[in-house]
Amino acid sequence: MDTWRPPVQGICLPRSASGPARTGLSPSLTAQARGGGDQRAAAPAQAPPPRARDVTVPRHARVDVPVAFRKEAQRLTMANAAEQWVLVEMVQALYEAPAYHLILEGILILWIIRLLFSKTYKLQERSDLTLKEKEELIEEWQPEPLVPPVSKDHPALNYNIVSGPPSHNIVVNGKECINFASFNFLGLLDNPRVKAAALASLKKYGVGTCGPRGFYGTFDVHLDLEDRLAKFMKTEEAIIYSYGFATIASAIPAYSKRGDIVFVDRAACFAIQKGLQASRSDIKIFKHNDMADLERLLKEQEIEDQKNPRKARVTRRFIVVEGIYMNTGTICPLPELVKLKYKYKARIFLEESLSFGVLGEHGRGVTEHYGINIDDIDLISANMENALASVGGFCCGRSFVIDHQRLSGQGYCFSASLPPLLAAAAIEALNIMEENPGIFAVLKEKCRKIHKALQGISGLRVMGESFSPAFHLHLEESTGSREKDVKLLQEIVNQCMNRSIALTQARYLDKEEKCLPPPSIRVVVTVEQTEDELERAAATIKEVAQAVLL
């Protein structure tokens, strides 16, 4: 029976040397396309599988095939070719992949299968405790202490009580003594002019401010004090803080951030250490006043910067030092520091709490002492609790440097501002310093006298500069135990107080200090102490030290 078949049009049939044309059609269609004959007289029984390259057909072999039939044939051919090509690519990728890659993929597949078929948690056997067992467990449980245990004889828990102003003569525990412990260098704490200025301010403004500088805590007397400090230090601008410790501790993290580098002296005071900790910068400690060691660290950093210049361009470098070190009484070698600053492109932060109002012809500190241009120092910080006999601190420098602290200095932004009466007292103290510049020479001479008188004490050695108003007495030989050293020195302090000489030990937070200084007795000199009192103090310390240490 004859069956009607549509005419084949428009298909190009490429020929092969060994067989019929491969078009992706059935053999009957191929035969009909060639000669238009019967389906039974068509081509071979088995045709090779279609391939993607056979879709394109030369024009000279075209026959007439309906359009729909032609498109369906092309779609089937391309689908079969795509499936074969994906499989070929997968097999080829497996052959080309490295062994470790295949092993890792196999492990991941096994791990995923394990997660799919394993339980997410294991049910543990539950054992209900009786009420008696629960009570026994509660009684046996001991919580960790909130704070570490402290002995009752710790000095911090057995402090001395002062009655009256801690000026030249101080009453401690009901006993009057000559004060060699307070940082009242210029004797302004009990000065009548300073007290009168504070009293007038108290009547005008009241006691406190009850607000930070940015929230109705800025008084006109604050601006006057900042202006006076800037003019006194010969800088463009100054900023005051209400707490001396927070001054440098707030200034450092206002500029130095994570990723910046700070080179700091090993003997830096605790306020500097807290500022560095808050900054989260990379800290590099150099030996005390050892400029060779500092330059070694700077050179090492320079080599690191050359390896990664892109990072070096955004990394800031700071050198943080003290004018006169609180923990040692020694002065920093500022001229050499300035040379290293310009050589290695670093910034210098100078903490002058002990040197402000002490060193220099006019009491301007280490820069005046060495004759260095104050513009060579990027930031100067000092507290007003020593020479000015007030409370708080200040920073001074260029305007753009100081203004940054008004936005980023934590102690400035979040603490209540300095009480106006203390600002007025500091202004009057500056007036006295400017009116009597000879007071600094008097202080320096008295420091040299007692420093010389204390030389050669058996068992003790003097640590600090001869012109420093605060220096230390260390044990020549340690007992090997810090606790025993502290007790020996405290015994010297107690016996001196019994003889009306008020001294104190230098106090440290042992577990918090980065580089814990050795125990020492701190001796503080003021302009109010007479020559006889200086000689008496030196003689008393010698006698007591010999009695305790020998």
Side-chain angles (χ1 to χ4, degrees), residues 4 14 19 60 110 124 172 221 229 281 297 304 354 369 419 455:
W4 177 86
H60 65 273
L110 293 176
Q124 297 179 353
V172 184
V221 68
L229 286 167
S281 303
L297 293 176
E304 290 295 325
L354 284 188
H369 175 79
Q455 298 294 330

Side-chain angles (χ1 to χ4, degrees), residues 244-265:
F245 183 92
T247 305
I248 189 65
S250 297
I252 291 175
Y255 304 99
S256 183
K257 307 295 183 181
R258 186 189 297 273
D260 294 333
I261 301 171
V262 181
F263 302 89
V264 62
D265 192 288

Side-chain angles (χ1 to χ4, degrees), residues 94-109:
L94 289 174
Y95 278 109
E96 294 178 355
Y100 73 90
H101 195 277
L102 297 175
I103 294 172
L104 180 61
E105 286 186 346
I107 293 173
L108 289 175
I109 292 172

